[in-house]
Amino acid sequence: MVSLLSLYLGGGAELLFGSVKEHHVTLPNQSEPWDMKQLLVWIRGNMLKERPELFVQGDTVRPGILVLINDADWELMGELEYELQDKDNVVFISTLHGG
Amino acid sequence: MCQVDEEYNGQLEHRVTPRVSKKCVKCKENTAVLIIRAGDAFCRGCFKEYFIHKFRAMLGKNRVIFPGEKVLLAVSGGPASSSMLSQVQEGLSRDAPKKLRFVPGIIYIDEGGASGQSMEERERAVAQLESVFRATNYHYHIVHLEQVLSLPSSVLDAGSSATEKPQTGSSYKAAVDQFIQTKKNQHPDLSVENAQSHLSSLSMHEVENGVTSPITPEHTQALQKLFASVRTLTAKEDLLHTLRQHLILHTARTQGYTKVMMGDSCSRLAIKLLSNISLGRGASLATDTGFSDPRYGDVVIVRPMRDYSSKEIAYYNRMFDIPSVFIPGLDTKAQDKASIQHLTESFVTKLQTDFPSTVSTIYRTSEKLHTACPPQNTNTQPFAKCLLCVCALDTKLGESHCQCTKTASHHRNVLYSLNKSTCNFILKLVFLFPNHINISTYPSLLLCYSCRLTIKDMVSERTSITSHYS
């Protein structure tokens, strides 16, 4: 099923995406539902403009990047195993730059 | 049991993964939206309460801010300091029983010159932040880092025109000098009321909101040359931190602020603690990471955000729309091993993901640190402070603590690795703060171990600043 997602990047993470904070993406069709793991792979391949190691590390996001799915901590949603629904809102905030 | 061929027949425990329907641990009614610390899940409303309460509890537990006092908020635009600003607004505006009562001002230091940003980018960032500051209705000061080099010759709005020789400065400066001098001779426990009343008795012009004297491209170039002369990123970051502190301190002093609030979060302080040990600042750990930092005497630095982890701050800012501006710094997009600070940051954050209690353990350890006061003769004046970071000197220069009896040549022998021009640059910095060292009678330099390393890192080619003063 086609998933329309809105992605938001904050805290400096947008620098890796051409300084654009808001993105609306349509994920390509596939038989199984998309989960976060696949989404990260997709982002790494299609959206990241530079320095992928600053965003994705191995399977998961780099330590220090907070992920919110529909304004809730992704740890409560199952982290990488969470299955994406249509019109979900995913937020990546980098907490590495202090205040 | 515990034999080689033992069979474990019992069921192995599975780690319970939280599910969407997990309830808030506090109110037990609403759905949890955030996990804090090791496993506490909070709902949105309870989290907001928890966040606000923590700020006020931190200020209330350490009663260092007095009612009516002028407090300078150091806002860098990042999430933690923006959060701090919103908490101060929240605390001051409430008609709740215990309203916070102090007079806030905001300072923003534009470091674009050091981190290589273009003028347009810097102006854009400043404009964004100005709109945020204007919405708060507090006094704000926008200070450019270039001004740290030209402070002696520029005329600040407060009317204190500093000259090279501190003694022949304006009456305001002499008064501040004398005030600091008298404070030094008193008991180390400065009472805030005394400082406050004395400062208010000095005539100071009210500063309207806005930018201090505009900077020229030559200033920016001079600053860039200074930073270019430092070889390693570690030393650059250290130097930037020191210069920033000097600027904040100077602004606080000239504008009559007796307290400065910094937005260091728990995670940032844990990283700072470990990297300071690596940098050789172990002696001043307690003041560098504690709640209050009294090293400057009349101006006390407090860190009310030191109990918040970066995650909590980021989440709160996102949920409750706290405006913050991202400004790239010296170590943006740097390699992991580019500097000691950066490496420590990646180490701690990586460890934190697998062991969620890392940061809080480091934080709790830092709370147990106390400053060990070196034994002081009652006759000697407390001059044994590092020039740059103003912490107590941790390097031995001789048998006695009284530095004024040492000859200039002895000190020069000690600082053999510094050449004349670098010394002059440091002397120039000293002119900014004559209250620490009286240059005319005391021609020597005192640096702590770590600041010495930072200065050593500067190459021997002359920068335009030092050649101006040689």
Side-chain angles (χ1 to χ4, degrees):
Chain A
M1 78 209 108
V2 176
S3 289
L4 180 69
L5 292 181
S6 43
L7 298 178
Y8 178 85
L9 301 153
E14 67 270 18
L15 280 190
L16 304 173
F17 292 80
S19 298
V20 179
K21 285 194 176 177
E22 299 228 14
H23 297 262
H24 297 275
V25 295
T26 310
L27 296 174
N29 241 330
Q30 67 175 31
S31 47
E32 314 93 39
W34 282 81
D35 61 9
M36 284 301 291
K37 206 179 207 174
Q38 294 170 338
L39 176 68
L40 285 178
V41 172
W42 188 87
I43 288 178
R44 186 193 176 127
N46 296 49
M47 287 180 68
L48 261 180
K49 299 272 186 303
E50 53 178 325
R51 307 288 300 276
E53 75 276 9
L54 292 182
F55 190 76
V56 178
Q57 221 172 63
D59 266 347
T60 179
V61 289
R62 184 183 180 207
I65 297 196
L66 175 68
V67 185
L68 302 178
I69 303 175
N70 298 330
D71 291 342
D73 192 355
W74 77 331
E75 284 179 38
L76 287 168
M77 314 288 252
E79 283 203 27
L80 288 171
E81 276 89 40
Y82 171 76
E83 283 176 7
L84 290 164
Q85 321 273 326
D86 201 21
K87 297 206 186 53
D88 267 351
N89 180 26
V90 183
V91 177
F92 296 96
I93 302 182
S94 167
T95 58
L96 291 170
H97 261 144
Chain B
M1 65 188 252
C2 294
Q3 288 150 6
V4 174
D5 293 328
E6 171 137 16
E7 295 264 321
Y8 292 99
N9 291 324
Q11 276 264 328
L12 290 176
E13 230 182 280
H14 287 281
R15 185 172 147 223
V16 175
T17 45
R19 294 277 155 238
V20 184
S21 53
K22 184 155 179 166
K23 294 287 177 205
C24 168
V25 299
K26 200 166 165 205
C27 60
K28 301 202 177 28
E29 287 172 359
N30 301 328
T31 321
V33 289
L34 178 71
I35 296 190
I36 301 170
R37 299 188 287 255
D40 297 336
F42 280 74
C43 69
R44 191 187 156 113
C46 293
F47 175 65
K48 181 168 186 174
E49 260 182 56
Y50 157 84
F51 198 89
I52 294 177
H53 170 79
K54 222 169 23 173
F55 186 78
R56 297 157 72 74
M58 179 60 83
L59 286 184
K61 191 169 69 170
N62 305 282
R63 301 175 64 79
V64 291
I65 310 243
F66 294 86
E69 198 173 4
K70 283 182 83 171
V71 177
L72 189 61
L73 308 173
V75 175
S76 65
S81 45
S82 307
S83 192
M84 178 177 78
L85 180 61
S86 82
Q87 289 304 306
V88 166
Q89 273 183 283
E90 176 92 35
L92 285 177
S93 72
R94 264 189 178 199
D95 41 7
K98 287 191 198 143
K99 192 171 104 140
L100 294 177
R101 281 168 299 155
F102 53 83
V103 180
I106 306 173
I107 181 173
Y108 167 66
I109 299 204
D110 168 29
E111 297 169 2
S115 52
Q117 285 190 296
S118 68
M119 268 321 280
E120 299 82 43
E121 285 173 349
R122 293 168 69 178
E123 277 165 17
R124 215 178 326 141
V126 167
Q128 271 183 292
L129 279 166
E130 262 193 298
S131 62
V132 172
F133 296 159
R134 253 184 248 122
T136 63
N137 280 328
Y138 300 147
H139 265 279
Y140 62 87
H141 311 271
I142 311 252
V143 184
H144 300 280
L145 191 65
E146 285 84 344
Q147 284 167 280
V148 83
L149 297 175
S150 61
L151 264 177
S153 49
S154 69
V155 179
L156 300 180
D157 291 333
S160 63
S161 55
T163 60
E164 289 299 334
K165 302 184 196 65
Q167 309 305 52
T168 58
S170 65
S171 59
Y172 167 76
K173 210 160 174 45
V176 172
D177 239 77
Q178 186 202 26
F179 162 67
I180 301 293
Q181 236 15 60
T182 52
K183 281 299 165 193
K184 268 196 155 93
N185 293 334
Q186 283 176 10
H187 191 270
D189 282 347
L190 299 169
S191 71
V192 177
E193 282 87 4
N194 276 349
Q196 203 180 350
S197 60
H198 197 104
L199 277 174
S200 57
S201 69
L202 301 167
S203 63
M204 281 186 300
H205 306 295
E206 261 304 298
V207 184
E208 309 92 53
N209 284 337
V211 193
T212 45
S213 49
I215 47 163
T216 66
E218 286 80 37
H219 285 142
T220 313
Q221 264 178 14
L223 184 72
Q224 277 170 345
K225 265 197 178 164
L226 171 64
F227 274 87
S229 74
V230 183
R231 279 175 306 199
T232 58
L233 185 60
T234 306
K236 270 192 222 202
E237 288 188 33
D238 201 36
L239 183 67
L240 177 65
H241 178 81
T242 308
L243 295 181
R244 190 194 300 149
Q245 292 290 99
H246 285 180
L247 259 186
I248 293 177
L249 178 68
H250 190 97
T251 309
R253 281 214 175 110
T254 50
Q255 305 296 337
Y257 293 96
T258 44
K259 294 277 185 317
V260 175
M261 273 196 190
M262 306 285 290
D264 292 313
S265 65
C266 185
S267 320
R268 187 117 322 252
L269 282 177
I271 293 165
K272 196 172 182 190
L273 186 95
L274 291 181
S275 53
N276 273 6
I277 296 176
S278 313
L279 290 171
R281 288 193 189 280
S284 56
L285 274 182
T287 46
D288 276 343
T289 55
F291 174 73
S292 75
D293 188 350
R295 72 178 85 175
Y296 298 109
D298 53 342
V299 175
V300 179
I301 300 194
V302 298
R303 302 184 179 100
M305 303 297 285
R306 70 189 292 260
D307 219 0
Y308 295 99
S309 72
S310 312
K311 182 174 177 181
E312 292 171 22
I313 292 175
Y315 191 81
Y316 185 87
N317 285 0
R318 167 77 189 161
M319 282 300 102
F320 302 102
D321 293 321
I322 308 295
S324 77
V325 178
F326 171 71
I327 294 168
L330 272 180
D331 63 348
T332 308
K333 291 201 214 166
Q335 299 284 343
D336 252 1
K337 295 193 187 140
S339 72
I340 292 179
Q341 293 91 338
H342 202 69
L343 183 62
T344 313
E345 180 186 43
S346 74
F347 169 66
V348 172
T349 33
K350 274 202 192 106
L351 210 57
Q352 174 76 7
T353 42
D354 290 327
F355 303 97
S357 53
T358 303
V359 165
S360 51
T361 307
I362 300 175
Y363 167 71
R364 255 194 301 279
T365 311
S366 78
E367 278 192 312
K368 295 179 190 159
L369 295 171
H370 294 291
T371 331
C373 294
Q376 272 186 345
N377 290 330
T378 45
N379 296 335
T380 63
Q381 295 200 296
F383 275 153
K385 294 232 181 212
C386 171
L387 255 189
L388 288 180
C389 64
V390 200
C391 60
L393 267 193
D394 53 351
T395 46
K396 281 206 172 91
L397 288 183
E399 301 88 51
S400 76
H401 279 283
C402 178
Q403 307 304 333
C404 29
T405 61
K406 296 288 177 185
T407 60
S409 57
H410 175 91
H411 286 294
R412 213 156 282 137
N413 288 339
V414 169
L415 298 167
Y416 57 87
S417 52
L418 302 179
N419 55 32
K420 182 174 184 293
S421 302
T422 321
C423 289
N424 281 333
F425 162 66
I426 299 177
L427 280 178
K428 184 175 180 318
L429 279 183
V430 167
F431 289 144
L432 299 177
F433 304 99
N435 35 310
H436 291 300
I437 308 278
N438 189 344
I439 261 311
S440 50
T441 62
Y442 196 54
S444 66
L445 308 164
L446 302 169
L447 291 176
C448 69
Y449 174 69
S450 166
C451 290
R452 205 179 289 174
L453 289 178
T454 304
I455 299 295
K456 247 196 226 179
D457 224 33
M458 291 178 170
V459 299
S460 56
E461 288 111 47
R462 288 308 92 233
T463 64
S464 62
I465 308 98
T466 56
S467 60
H468 178 57
Y469 287 96
S470 56

